[in-house]
Amino acid sequence: MNDDFWDDLLAHIRQRVLVPVVGPDVTRVDIGDADQSFTTLIGQRLAERWNLSVPPGQTTMDAAVAAFVRERGQDEIERLYRVINDIIVEVDPEPGDALRDLAAIDDLRLFVSTTPDRVLAKAVNAVRFQGRQGAREISFSPNQSTSEQSRNAQPATATDTVILNLYGQAASTPQYAIHEEDRLEWLHALLSEKASLPDWVSYQLKEHPLLFIGCEIPDWLGRFLLRMSSNTRLSLERIPFFIAGCSTSQEPSLSSFFATYCRKTLVQQLDIDPATFVAELRARWVQQTAPRRHDAVGGAVRPLPDAPTIFISYMREDADAARRVCDAITSLGGDVWLDERRLSPGDAWEHEILSSIRRTVRLFVPIISANTEHAEEGYVFKEWYEAADRARSIPSRRFIVPVVIDDNDDRSPSRYRQMPDSFGRLHFGRAPGGEPDPGLIAMLKDEIRAMRRTAA
């Protein structure tokens, strides 16, 4: 297998920026002793119900719906939405191994489902939340209600796991896409701004790498989706796309388009069985993240899926030192959020970060240095004052641990005047060049243990 493909993919997962787009070929379910694609099961049920003339072999939902329209005409098509929804509700299958493997990669925080069922959400809830409804589900449709749009507009926090049903979620009415003409209408609504995705979702789809797994991608749809997810011409694009176990191999003109007009590192394709790909991806991710899950004093650490977050606040000039602090905390078993989106402009991530500092961050670690001292302005100071404001409502435990990364012996915080006054009354940690000293290591261990006790 292509090592560059895997290394690039895992690097984006490690930074929690990769967005998987999950297609019907990986949305496999357990029915009795068999494992099969859920859309194939739906297609078979439809073909049997109306004795449809479908091509030999496995009958997908798309094929059955197309046969229904050819044989019975457009007048009865609205009934299909109710019937398909009834099948989904009646079967209510358990997710197969492929979806469970994908859900287990907990560095993935936003999933895009291209099927109308809730099987992906069911897998995420089973693996990450012990069966509780912990995943946030949002769906898009051209005629979405105002109240649903308002709910979806609320940005996700750093600890949220979100599933976006791009083509809507099954219902008894035409609120979701069941065939190619529906999907064309959904995409036209997005393109014409007749309807829109929430800003925070749109930002992630355009600014983050996408991984298409087990998707049915006709030539026209592949070109359109790729361009719609890009902020510039594809020949100039710098954000990568990954395609694995998709039908592009059956669309030679689409593969030729990618090879001709996209840089080799922009669109990377792997022809592989979708379930095999996801199992391999999980195995490689587990192997790569094993050091992050090992306590520095020995013994394996298993952070809870919704463990409290340690947030590192830093200036871009201090990024290298901040990463070393992040690695040190991770090695102690801490669940660290080091947001590197600040290294490029954008408003969506700023709102998400400030919202998380106000609500969900458990320990705030500001990186203090000569760079922060000499800066006339910077987004990092917004984070500091937001944290200082929240700290006033947390009197009984430590919330802020300022860390000085300068290489000097002056431990007095009084020399740093750019920070909020309340920081000066706190116990400072030291990490020269980003390497925590024994005193800071001990302090962080105590805080991580306290978090585990609280979460238990």
Side-chain angles (χ1 to χ4, degrees), residues 116-369:
D117 51 76
R118 296 186 59 251
V119 182
L120 175 58
K122 196 170 182 179
V124 170
N125 286 330
V127 172
R128 299 192 183 185
F129 302 102
Q130 294 79 50
R132 293 182 290 108
Q133 300 294 313
R136 178 180 175 188
E137 298 175 62
I138 63 177
S139 61
F140 170 77
S141 66
N143 52 351
Q144 207 162 40
S145 68
T146 303
S147 60
E148 189 170 5
Q149 290 179 39
S150 298
R151 285 195 302 271
N152 293 346
Q154 181 64 37
T157 68
T159 57
D160 282 346
T161 298
V162 180
I163 291 109
L164 165 66
N165 284 90
L166 183 61
Y167 297 121
Q169 200 171 90
S172 59
T173 55
Q175 300 293 318
Y176 64 107
I178 62 173
H179 51 69
E180 280 198 19
E181 198 263 346
D182 271 349
R183 287 188 278 277
L184 179 62
E185 197 61 27
W186 254 244
L187 296 175
H188 173 264
L190 286 173
L191 190 65
S192 64
E193 297 186 351
K194 174 184 174 183
S196 62
L197 292 169
D199 288 344
W200 63 273
V201 173
S202 180
Y203 171 84
Q204 294 201 49
L205 296 183
K206 289 189 175 185
E207 298 294 336
H208 289 179
L210 301 181
L211 166 63
F212 293 87
I213 317 171
C215 296
E216 295 173 350
I217 308 180
D219 181 87
W220 70 269
L221 182 59
R223 301 181 192 213
F224 191 83
L225 278 176
L226 209 62
R227 182 60 185 91
M228 194 174 71
S229 302
S230 173
N231 281 322
T232 186
R233 294 182 65 130
L234 291 178
S235 56
L236 303 175
E237 182 57 78
R238 291 294 180 267
I239 298 173
F241 298 82
F242 300 87
I243 300 174
C246 294
S247 57
T248 54
S249 60
Q250 301 168 16
E251 296 277 351
S253 59
L254 180 59
S255 292
S256 175
F257 174 81
F258 290 157
T260 303
Y261 295 105
C262 301
R263 293 182 302 112
K264 187 180 292 186
T265 55
L266 170 65
V267 179
Q268 300 187 54
Q269 304 179 69
L270 194 62
D271 192 3
I272 185 175
D273 173 73
T276 302
F277 168 78
V278 176
E280 177 72 12
L281 181 63
R282 179 186 181 181
R284 288 177 180 250
W285 175 80
V286 168
Q287 182 180 26
Q288 188 178 84
T289 56
R292 279 170 33 188
R293 297 161 183 269
H294 193 276
D295 192 282
V297 297
V301 174
R302 294 190 54 173
L304 293 174
D306 50 353
T309 299
I310 301 170
F311 182 84
I312 298 178
S313 173
Y314 66 99
M315 291 192 72
R316 68 173 65 201
E317 291 81 2
D318 294 326
D320 288 341
R323 291 187 189 104
R324 285 191 283 274
V325 172
C326 175
D327 289 344
I329 298 175
T330 300
S331 73
L332 298 174
D335 181 19
V336 189
W337 181 14
L338 180 75
D339 200 302
E340 300 209 30
R341 289 173 294 178
R342 70 190 63 229
L343 304 182
S344 57
D347 293 329
W349 60 262
E350 296 179 1
H351 178 85
E352 177 187 343
I353 287 173
L354 291 181
S355 176
S356 297
I357 292 171
R358 284 193 293 267
R359 300 175 185 173
T360 61
V361 168
R362 175 62 172 75
L363 190 67
F364 184 82
V365 181
I367 300 297
I368 298 173
S369 69

Side-chain angles (χ1 to χ4, degrees), residues 19-93:
V19 179
V21 181
V22 181
D25 289 345
V26 79
T27 308
R28 303 187 68 82
V29 297
D30 292 332
I31 303 294
D33 295 330
D35 172 274
Q36 68 177 117
S37 160
F38 195 21
T39 57
T40 298
L41 184 148
I42 294 171
Q44 292 169 347
R45 293 280 184 96
L46 295 176
E48 292 167 3
R49 178 180 178 126
W50 282 291
N51 194 27
L52 300 173
S53 299
V54 292
Q58 291 190 333
T59 302
T60 64
M61 185 175 77
D62 273 11
V65 171
F68 181 94
V69 175
R70 285 194 303 269
E71 296 173 23
R72 304 178 71 92
Q74 289 281 351
D75 292 343
E76 294 187 55
I77 194 168
E78 287 204 7
R79 178 176 293 120
L80 274 179
Y81 297 92
R82 192 265 302 165
V83 173
I84 291 172
N85 181 60
D86 287 348
I87 294 171
I88 290 173
V89 172
E90 175 195 344
V91 176
D92 189 24

Side-chain angles (χ1 to χ4, degrees), residues 374-437:
H374 296 147
E376 293 185 0
E377 60 180 325
Y379 179 76
V380 71
F381 299 124
K382 285 186 181 180
E383 297 174 352
W384 291 6
Y385 279 93
E386 197 71 57
D389 185 59
R390 182 181 170 195
R392 290 201 295 266
S393 64
I394 307 177
S396 59
R397 65 171 174 84
R398 182 182 281 127
F399 172 57
I400 300 173
V401 177
V403 174
V404 176
I405 61 170
D406 292 337
D407 294 312
N408 59 60
D409 294 327
D410 183 0
R411 296 175 180 269
S412 172
S414 61
R415 63 190 295 265
Y416 298 100
R417 301 183 181 278
Q418 293 275 55
M419 61 187 183
D421 291 341
S422 60
F423 281 19
R425 297 189 290 272
L426 301 173
H427 182 75
F428 276 54
R430 283 188 50 79
E435 302 293 341
D437 68 7

